Each structure stands twice: as C-alpha cells, then as structure tokens.
Amino acid sequence: MHLLITNIHQLLNVRAHTVLLRGKAMTGLPIIENAFMVIHKGRIDAYGSMDALPEKAYDAVYDAGGATVLPAWCDSHTHLVFAKSREQEFVDKLNGLSYADIAAKGGGILHSTAALQVTSESVLFEAAFMRLQGLMHLGTGAIEIKSGYGLTVADELKMLRVIRRLKEVAPMPVKATFLGAHAIPLTYRENKQGYVQLIIQEMLPEIAAENLADYIDVFCEQNFFCVSDTEKILEAADKYGLPAKLHANQLSVSGGVEVGVKYKAVSVDHLEAMNEKAIHALAASDTIGTILPTAAFFLRMQYAPVRKMLQENCALALASDYNPGSSPSGNMNFVVSLACIQNEFLPEEAINAATLNGAYAMGVEKEVGSITIGKKANLIFTKPIPSVAYLPYHFGTPVVDKVMINGNWI
Ligand code: NIG
Ligand code: FE
C-alpha cells in the first residue's frame, strides 16, 4: 500500500545519504518546505516539494494540514527497566540530604537493585512495556535500554531477558546494553575486584552465550568503577565483540572519556565534568559524546559544555537517561528544549543530536534518524508550528500531534 501524505509545512532532516554529524555540520538541518511524502510497506518511499508531486494513483492520501514532520526521536541512553520509582529520595533531597546521605540510607542505584531483585521478569516486562508505549506517544521511535539494577548473575540476566522481550514486541528498534558495572553490590562492598571478576568471568560469558547484549557499559566514576576496572571490563567485552557505551565524566573528570576513546567506544555519555584533555580526546575520535541534560537538571548539577565541544568538532547526541534516580522522564521533547535552554545547543543542532546522531549512537542509522528513502517511517507530526525553533522554544507543552511507527499511526 502506498500512502501519500500531503501539505507538510516543513519536512525536517531530509538526507539522501547520511554521515555522523560533528562540530559545525550539526547546524545543518536540511528542510523541504511545503512537502509531500510517500510511505510504502512501513518505509519512506518518496518525498519532495508539493509543487513537484507526481500525478499518479495512491492507495490512500493523508492531508497533514500544515504539520511539521520530522524523524522520530532516537533515544540512545535509557534505564527503562526498573521495579520502582524513587520519589522518597527526591523528597529527602529537597529536605537537604546529600547524595552520600541518601546512599548511606541504602538509597541510589542500590535501592533500585534491591527492588528489582525481588521483582519477577514478567512484572518488570509489563512495567517497561507500558513505559515504552508512553514514550512512543511522545515521539520516540528507537531506544537503547541498559541493565544494571540486577548486579547478580541471575538478576542481570533477568533484566537483559526483559529487554530481549521488549525487542521482540516493540515495533521500534531496541538495543540492549549490559551495565553490570553500574554500582558495587553490598555483598562485594569490601571486594570490588571480586565483583569485577564476577562480571568478566560469569556474567559476560552467559550474556554472550545467550546473545543478550549489543553493547557493554561501565559507570566510570569515583567510588564506582575506576579507569583500570573499566579497561579490564572493556578488554573482556571486546573478546565477545561487544562495543562500549560508557557512563563517563558525570560527577568528576574521571578519565572515562579517554578510556572510552582508547577502546573505540561507540559513545561516552553524560560529560558534565569535562576538561580540555577530555574534550580534545573526544574531538579527535570517532566516539560520540551523548549529552543527557535532564539528568543534570534533575540532580541540579552543571551542564555539559556543549558549545566548547562543538567548537572543537565533537559529534554529539542527545538522550533522556530515563531512570528512577537521576532522570525520571523519558520525554525527548523536553530533552531537546532543555538542551537548547541550558546546554546552549541551537535548535537545529539539538534536533540532529536527538535524531540522526542518536541513531548512530546505537547503531541503527541505516534504519532511522533521518528522512531518507528506505528508512523506517518512524515519524513525528507536530501541531502546526511556525518554525523549527518553535519546537524547543515552546517547552513543556506538547507540540507532537501524531506519531507514526513503521508507517502505522500509534
Ligand atoms: O545515568 N550515573 C549512573 N547511572 C544513572 C543513575 C541511575 C540511578 O540513580 O538509578 C545515570 O544517571
Ligand atoms: Fe545513565
């Protein structure tokens, strides 16, 4: 079936061929004004200006009525599978408790771990699937999901099996990342190396045998996993062909960026705490820097120095970091707004970062992330908006009117 879509006010991010965008190139957002588009078998079949609309018969016609149409968001960093929200910690923080106080009360990542360990695979799956459907309605059309709240062999496998089920049923591309090195579990408090060895010797082989992960992640941070732990884990993962996506430089200049670059990580994520050396290492590499502004917002922390990184020619993506501790929202529309308001992304740069570069940051760039013939018709239709800049400018009020995934309205 050929569906013709007419009267698109602006068709955004139209590219015959794509490359990863870096530095200045991120400001280029190719647009067709007053456009049409044809969808066939769930994919983009044709597009162009309404003036050049070919006169032929289509099976169906949809009048977009002046909507702006863009590729659905590609959210390349989430912790979508979790057992419970953590709003009590949020209140504790409002009452003046520090991150360390909260951790001492058994809070933080280990709080989520305790809850996840006593929750069944099917309950976790149902909750995560509900979240995924909610995100789809907000315009997300591809997603990466991490483990990392299990922290035992059985519970990390359980999380990754939940993600595998999500891959099977979700209509959008889903990528799985093994984040056993998210925190040191209580049972290994005095024996961090024992836990690193558990990851390397027990978790990784089982995960690889069941083909449960596409990527490996490590929280490379003071009091979590240091550069040398990270190297050991990435070395081991490399033997199973798992590329890295790291949590790096969130709370401190951790060396995470450099170690990610050294191991040819697909992405290093967070980057709130950057120095010249880390920026130069990233800029000189093929590794993508993934910025997570809602985590900095929610934790009231410094924002990643995006202007500096773009001046140095880094390739940047934007993602939600959806998780119950530091970003209890997966709304990519807000991520894009906040990226402009606080990280000083320009609207065009933010849209590229949250679509095409996000797709590259999870290896789905051949399928999604731009308006390109042959790519999946995973699309956002906005309410009528006057300009591209209106999208991040009008924060907090949804501009998404309709979402199409694989050519189907959802
Ligand atoms: O990306 N920084 C580490 N991990 C998460 C937070 C996870 C949590 O608090 O549950 C993050 O911010
Ligand atoms: Fe994260």
Side-chain angles (χ1 to χ4, degrees):
M1 154 149 143
H2 287 81
L3 168 67
L4 169 68
I5 301 167
T6 59
N7 295 322
I8 298 168
H9 170 54
Q10 291 188 314
L11 185 60
L12 306 188
N13 221 349
V14 183
R15 297 173 188 271
H17 306 283
T18 66
V19 291
L20 176 67
L21 302 170
R22 49 196 323 133
K24 252 199 155 3
M26 290 198 68
T27 54
L29 185 71
I31 296 176
I32 301 180
E33 306 277 345
N34 190 23
F36 77 89
M37 205 176 177
V38 180
I39 311 296
H40 178 54
K41 290 190 174 163
R43 292 186 182 260
I44 299 167
D45 195 54
Y47 54 73
S49 159
M50 282 296 286
D51 303 337
L53 178 62
E55 287 231 6
K56 58 180 192 185
Y58 295 94
D59 302 304
V61 180
Y62 173 78
D63 183 343
T68 291
V69 176
L70 65 151
W73 305 123
C74 297
D75 189 352
S76 62
H77 180 139
T78 82
H79 307 250
L80 191 76
V81 178
F82 56 87
K84 266 176 79 181
S85 57
R86 299 202 326 244
E87 66 278 9
Q88 189 49 49
E89 261 174 43
F90 168 67
V91 175
D92 288 346
K93 264 186 239 155
L94 299 179
N95 280 319
L97 260 61
S98 71
Y99 197 79
D101 299 330
I102 290 168
K105 283 178 56 171
I109 294 168
L110 294 181
H111 184 172
S112 286
T113 300
L116 185 128
Q117 289 180 345
V118 296
T119 305
S120 71
E121 188 178 314
S122 60
V123 169
L124 288 170
F125 168 78
E126 290 303 332
F129 191 49
M130 289 267 288
R131 287 180 203 121
L132 188 85
Q133 284 172 314
L135 297 182
M136 227 154 57
H137 284 96
L138 292 168
T140 296
I143 195 165
E144 179 261 15
I145 309 172
K146 297 172 194 299
S147 70
Y149 292 129
L151 308 188
T152 66
V153 178
D155 292 302
E156 283 297 307
L157 287 170
K158 178 170 76 178
M159 279 192 87
L160 288 164
R161 289 187 187 122
V162 170
I163 304 172
R164 178 169 64 192
R165 283 178 69 185
L166 292 169
K167 281 189 184 191
E168 287 162 3
V169 299
M172 65 171 82
V174 175
K175 291 286 178 172
T177 299
F178 168 49
L179 176 56
H182 196 192
I184 299 142
L186 287 176
T187 42
Y188 284 88
R189 251 310 68 141
E190 306 306 323
N191 179 19
K192 186 178 71 167
Q193 284 317 309
Y195 186 60
V196 171
Q197 288 313 312
L198 184 78
I199 292 172
I200 293 173
Q201 287 168 8
E202 295 190 40
M203 293 183 184
L204 266 171
E206 289 210 38
I207 288 161
E210 281 191 53
N211 201 12
L212 283 169
D214 303 297
Y215 297 103
I216 179 94
D217 191 350
V218 177
F219 187 19
C220 183
E221 188 58 61
Q222 272 170 23
N223 300 327
F224 289 84
F225 298 89
C226 64
V227 168
S228 120
D229 302 330
T230 306
E231 290 200 322
K232 284 180 201 156
I233 294 167
L234 297 192
E235 212 56 76
D238 190 50
K239 298 204 177 81
Y240 297 104
L242 288 185
K245 284 172 68 65
L246 294 186
H247 279 74
N249 295 46
Q250 179 183 14
L251 309 172
S252 64
V253 181
S254 65
V257 170
E258 289 88 335
V259 73
V261 165
K262 178 173 166 194
Y263 284 86
K264 299 194 181 337
V266 174
S267 70
V268 288
D269 304 16
H270 274 291
L271 315 184
E272 286 89 346
M274 292 291 271
N275 61 9
E276 293 285 330
K277 188 167 156 271
I279 294 176
H280 285 144
L282 183 61
S285 75
D286 291 331
T287 299
I288 298 167
T290 299
I291 310 301
L292 310 167
T294 48
F297 171 71
F298 191 76
L299 298 177
R300 278 192 232 115
M301 287 182 47
Q302 61 186 334
Y303 287 85
V306 160
R307 291 274 35 108
K308 178 89 184 118
M309 286 191 263
L310 288 175
Q311 269 158 27
E312 298 286 338
N313 208 34
C314 293
L316 301 182
L318 275 166
S320 74
D321 199 14
Y322 191 2
N323 78 76
S326 66
S327 179
S329 161
N331 186 343
M332 285 294 286
N333 304 286
F334 183 57
V335 169
V336 168
S337 284
L338 197 60
C340 295
I341 299 163
Q342 292 287 11
N343 292 105
E344 301 178 358
F345 269 99
L346 294 170
E348 293 80 4
E349 292 167 339
I351 291 170
N352 279 323
T355 55
L356 186 57
N357 278 11
Y360 275 97
M362 53 177 153
V364 294
E365 70 278 3
K366 293 201 168 66
E367 288 291 275
V368 289
S370 62
I371 305 297
T372 302
I373 290 175
K375 282 196 182 181
K376 284 178 180 290
N378 290 11
L379 306 167
I380 293 173
F381 288 65
T382 70
K383 296 173 184 154
I385 56 172
S387 65
V388 172
Y390 189 89
L391 209 141
Y393 154 84
H394 200 240
F395 83 92
T397 312
V399 295
V400 175
D401 184 34
K402 284 191 163 67
V403 177
M404 181 180 267
I405 300 287
N406 294 327
N408 300 314
W409 296 114
I410 57 134

